Amino acid sequence: MVKRLKSMRESLGLSQAGLAEIIGITQQAINKYENSSTEPDIENLTKLAEFFDTSIDYLVGATDVAPGEEDTGDYQFSSKELKVMEKYRTLSDDNQKLINKTLDALQNK
């Protein structure tokens, strides 16, 4: 059920024991969740989602859209739009905010 737990834990460099300590459960429980031998109750599932700053749906694999991402559905981007997005992603947070403000100002003209 918790399809993404192991990869999310490993992406933060956490051991099962480390995550268990943070969440307030046992390492054995984390191991069982990752191996699908048991499922977390709603309380522990909520704790895990909150710790990883994600939704329960994403954690359990009910959606592939991670928090902070948008489902674009069937929308196709032009090569021009893709180039703009690639450049945008390389900018610092401050510069991304500046671009967003500029776009807002241009839209309101």
Side-chain angles (χ1 to χ4, degrees):
M1 178 178 158
V2 185
K3 297 180 179 186
R4 294 188 166 104
L5 179 59
K6 184 176 182 178
S7 65
M8 293 175 80
R9 175 182 60 76
E10 289 177 342
S11 74
L12 296 177
L14 281 173
S15 65
Q16 288 181 344
L19 176 59
E21 184 176 337
I22 291 167
I23 300 299
I25 58 178
T26 65
Q27 179 272 327
Q28 291 82 0
I30 298 291
N31 183 278
K32 288 179 181 180
Y33 300 160
E34 290 184 355
N35 293 310
S36 300
S37 349
T38 190
E39 296 178 356
D41 59 25
I42 192 67
E43 180 182 345
N44 288 336
L45 194 56
T46 301
K47 286 180 184 179
L48 289 165
E50 286 174 357
F51 172 75
F52 287 110
D53 193 25
T54 193
S55 67
I56 290 173
D57 282 348
Y58 184 76
L59 189 60
V60 300
T63 182
D64 289 329
V65 180
E69 295 180 355
E70 255 185 67
D71 185 358
T72 59
D74 294 329
Y75 186 78
Q76 299 296 313
F77 295 102
S78 69
S79 60
K80 188 176 177 181
E81 290 169 320
L82 289 172
K83 286 179 185 176
V84 170
M85 286 191 292
E86 287 172 8
K87 289 178 184 178
Y88 181 86
R89 288 180 177 171
T90 65
L91 299 173
S92 68
D93 286 344
D94 287 340
N95 284 337
Q96 286 181 358
K97 288 176 186 175
L98 180 60
I99 294 293
N100 292 337
K101 287 180 183 180
T102 303
L103 288 171
D104 289 342
L106 290 170
Q107 279 183 324
N108 292 328
K109 274 191 166 182

